Amino acid sequence: MVDLYEVAGIKGMFLANKKTDNQVKTHITYNRGRDWRLLEAPSKDLRGNSIHCVLPYCSLHLHLHVSANPYTSGNIASRDSAPGIIVASGSIGAELTTSNVSVFITSDAGNTWRQIFDEEYAVLYLDQGGALVAIRHTPLPIRHLWLSFDEGRQWNKYSFTNSPLFVDGVLGEPGEETLIMTIFGHVSHRSEWQLVKIDFRSIFNRRCTEADYQTWHLHNQGEPCLMGIKRIYRKLKPTSRCVMGKTYLVTMTSGPCDCTEADFECDYGFERRTDGKCTPAFWFHPSSVSRSCTTGMTFLNSTGYRKVVSNNCTAGVSSEYTARRQQCPVQAPRGLHLVTSEGTLTATLGANVTFLVFLEEGDGARTSITLDFGDGHALTYSNVSSIEDGIKHIYKAVGIYRVTATGENSLGSETATLYLHVTCQLEYIHLSAPFVAVRNKEVNLTAVLWPSQVGTVTYIWWIGNNTEPVITLEGSVACTFSREGVSSVTVQVSAGNTILQDRKTIAVHEYFRSHLLAFSSNLDEHNPDVAEWRLDVSRVIRSSLIQATGVREDQLLVTVLPGLPTAAEFFLLPDKQLTEGKLEKSAAHLDQLSEVLLSALNQNLVQFTLRPGVQVTVYAAHLSAAPLVDTSENHSGSAMLMLLSVVVVGLAVFVIYKFKRKIPGLNVYAQMQNEKEQEMMSPANPTEATPSSQQDLVHSLEILDTEFNSRPIGKYPL
C-alpha cells in the first residue's frame, strides 16, 4: 500500500493506492478494508466524448496526497459537512501516472465519477459544500475563478481582480459554512503580497428551506448495507441555489442490517483464499489454546472469522461466524518454546539474560517447567503461568551453553533446547609475528586477545598480496613467503558485534643474523608496554647501535618485544651491494658485523638517553636460548661444533671448581697467576680487562674461588 486516505463524512470508507505487479492502482473500500475494488472510470470526458475503459484492465486512479500547507489544497478533498462529495486529481488508464492529470468529482461516495477539469485545479468547499470554488494550478498570473452550485455539474466563470495575479494560496474563512474566501499572491515577482477577499453572499438571494433538501441513500454499487447498517443522509438538491448557513447540520438516519459473510474479516492466524474463505495460515495451529487454559475452564475457539471493527450488524450469520466458548481440553504439553527476551542467541558476560518459555498446547497451569541453564544451575516452576515475565540468569564465564527447558504433566513431557553464546567485549588484539623471516621457511603468526576469553571468535588473515583471506577459528596460522622484500600481515578478529584488527610488516630475506638484547633495570620503570612506545624506543636503539658500530642503516633492524622486563632483538640483513651468488662471502660479512655489534654491547658502548637524567645501557642477552640465530645451511656444522666446545669447556670448569680445594698447589698457582695478570693489565683499556679465551675464563673463576677460601682464614689468629 502506497497511500491511504480516509473519506470524511462516511464512516468506514477509505481510498488507497496499492502497488501490484509494479503498477500503482487506486482502490476503494466501504467496510474498513475488508473488501477493496477498483474505481470505475467516467463514461464520458469533459467534452461529452465516450471513454472506453473496461475493468480490471482500465480504471480511474487518484492522487491521494493531502497538503500540509493550510494555504494550498492537496490532490484530494472531502468534508464532513458534505458527505458523498469527493474532489480529486487523477488519470484514467492501467495505472496511476503523473501525466494527463485531470480533476474528477463524485457525488455518490465513489460509485460514479465525472471529469470536471482537464487540468489541475484547487477546489474549495463553501457554504457547507453547497458551493464549490475552483482556481487553476498554474505558474502564470490569472484573474478568473470558477464557481459551481450543483456539485460540480456546471461551472460559472468569475473575475476576482482587474490585474492578473500570481496566486500563492487560497484561504477560506474558518469553517466551510461561510461564503467568504481570500486569495493572496503578487502582481509581479518583485511586488509585495496582494490580498483579495471575495464575498459570494451577494450571489444568493434567499436561504434554503425544507423543500430544497432531498434524501440520499449511501450504497456500494447498489448494496445499501454498509458496516452493518443502512444510512440515509439529508442533502441539498443540486438544482437549489440558496444559502444553507451556519445553522445547517448534517442529518443521517440509520437502520440495522442482518449480518452476512461480508461483515466479517479473517481472524488472527487466518488468511483469505481466492474463494473468499478464511483458512489457517501456514504458521498458525488452530488447535492451540492459551497456556493459561486449565482443565475445568473454558476458552473461545475461533471460527476463523471476526466482525469488522465498528460493524453494527445483528443476527443473520452472526452465530455461525462468532467464536464459540468451549471447555479446555486435557492434553500433554506440546509445542514448548524457549527463547531469550531479546530474540537472540548471544548474551554478555555478567549481564542478566531473560529466558521466555511458553506452550502452544497443554494444560499450562498443571505443567511444571524445569529450566537447566547449562552451567550447573537449574530451576523448576510449578506451572507455565508463573513464569510469564521470564526467568533471569547471569553467566559468570564465557562459552557456549546448552540451555534446556522441560515441560511435564501427568500426560507427558516436552523439551526445548537453546544454545546460548555468552561473550564479553573484545578490547584489544596484538599480532605476534617475527620481525624478519627467511624466504620459503615456515613462519608462525599468532593473534593475542585481551581479554583472552571472549567467546566464539573468528580470525580473518590477510597475508602478503593474497586477494582472498584465510579464515580460521584458531588464533595461530603458519605461512611462508616466497619472495624477498617487505610483506604485510593483517589479522581481523570478529567477536560478537566487535571487529578489531592489527597489522605487522615482515622483512623477508634469504638469510640473516639476530641476537636478543637486554637493558639496564631503570628502563623497566619507564616502560608503559604499549606499541607506540616500543616503536619509538626501537628507533632510538637502532640509532645508538649504528652510531657505536658504524653498521649501515639498511642492514640493521631493531624491535622491542612486548612485556616486562624490557627485551629487544636486533637483526642483521644481507648487504645488497655484494655480488649476487656469493652467499658464502655475504654470510661471512654478516658474521663479522655480528661480532662487531656483540663486542660493542659487551663493552657497554651502546647507551641512550631516554629522558633527562635517565641513561639506559644496552647489553647482549647472554642467557638467551638462541643468542645468535644463524639461518644459513652452510653454517649449521660450525654452529654444532661451537655448541660442543662450549659444553666441553663448561664441564672442565665444573670439575676444576669442584675439586680445586683438595689441591693446595692449584690455589697458590691461581693466586700468583692472578697477581701477575693484574700487573700486566692496563686499567685505561676496558677491552683488555675482559677474558679473551676459554683459558682466561678458567683463571677468572679460580681467582674468585681463591678469594672466597682466603676470607674465613683471615678472621682467625695465626
Side-chain angles (χ1 to χ4, degrees), residues 108-121:
D108 55 3
N111 285 280
T112 59
W113 294 82
R114 304 186 306 275
Q115 184 181 9
I116 55 177
F117 297 105
D118 55 5
E119 295 180 283
E120 288 196 70
Y121 276 73

Side-chain angles (χ1 to χ4, degrees), residues 402-551:
R402 185 177 186 268
V403 186
T404 304
T406 303
E408 185 176 6
N409 61 20
S410 59
L411 298 178
S413 62
E414 179 86 348
T415 300
T417 302
L418 179 149
Y419 294 94
L420 184 69
H421 293 244
V422 178
T423 62
C424 66
Q425 181 69 29
L426 178 62
E427 299 179 6
Y428 173 77
I429 69 168
H430 169 72
L431 175 58
S432 177
F435 205 58
V436 183
V438 179
R439 186 174 68 88
N440 292 329
K441 195 168 185 178
E442 193 173 80
V443 174
N444 289 323
L445 307 174
T446 303
V448 182
L449 311 184
W450 176 259
S452 59
Q453 298 295 328
V454 294
T456 305
V457 177
T458 302
Y459 300 86
I460 305 168
W461 306 86
W462 301 87
I463 301 173
N465 295 324
N466 294 342
T467 58
E468 294 294 332
V470 177
I471 301 176
T472 67
L473 297 178
E474 299 293 334
S476 297
V477 295
C479 65
T480 58
F481 299 95
S482 59
R483 292 189 299 179
E484 291 190 67
V486 177
S487 295
S488 64
V489 176
T490 301
V491 60
Q492 293 180 322
V493 180
S494 174
N497 295 326
T498 303
I499 297 180
L500 299 180
Q501 76 173 28
D502 192 13
R503 184 176 183 271
K504 290 290 187 295
T505 56
I506 301 176
V508 181
H509 294 277
E510 193 71 33
Y511 51 87
F512 63 90
R513 301 289 186 271
S514 67
H515 199 288
L516 293 177
L517 301 175
F519 304 91
S520 53
S521 59
N522 58 346
L523 182 59
D524 293 341
E525 301 174 2
H526 304 278
N527 184 355
D529 197 20
V530 295
E532 292 79 5
W533 183 88
R534 292 193 293 269
L535 183 61
D536 292 339
V537 173
S538 297
R539 296 193 186 102
V540 174
I541 298 171
R542 180 169 175 265
S543 298
S544 300
L545 286 171
I546 293 173
Q547 184 177 1
T549 62
V551 177

Side-chain angles (χ1 to χ4, degrees), residues 438 509-513 572-574 582-583 586-587 590 631-632:
V438 179
H509 294 277
E510 193 71 33
Y511 51 87
F512 63 90
R513 301 289 186 271
L572 282 173
L573 308 180
K582 297 182 179 180
L583 298 180
S586 181
L590 282 186
T631 59
S632 63

Side-chain angles (χ1 to χ4, degrees), residues 53 157 265 360 379 521 543 588:
C53 185
K157 187 177 181 181
E265 61 183 354
E360 289 184 1
L379 294 174
S521 59
S543 298

Side-chain angles (χ1 to χ4, degrees), residues 34-87:
R34 193 273 190 195
D35 299 296
W36 295 89
R37 66 173 176 83
L38 296 171
L39 298 180
E40 187 173 351
S43 58
K44 294 184 179 181
D45 62 11
L46 187 62
R47 298 170 181 80
N49 300 320
S50 297
I51 298 176
H52 181 71
C53 185
V54 180
L55 293 173
Y57 309 104
C58 175
S59 60
L60 174 63
H61 309 286
L62 305 177
H63 294 279
L64 305 180
H65 297 153
V66 179
S67 175
N69 188 344
Y71 305 112
T72 59
S73 63
N75 300 113
I76 186 169
S78 61
R79 296 291 184 270
D80 291 327
S81 59
I85 300 178
I86 307 171
V87 182

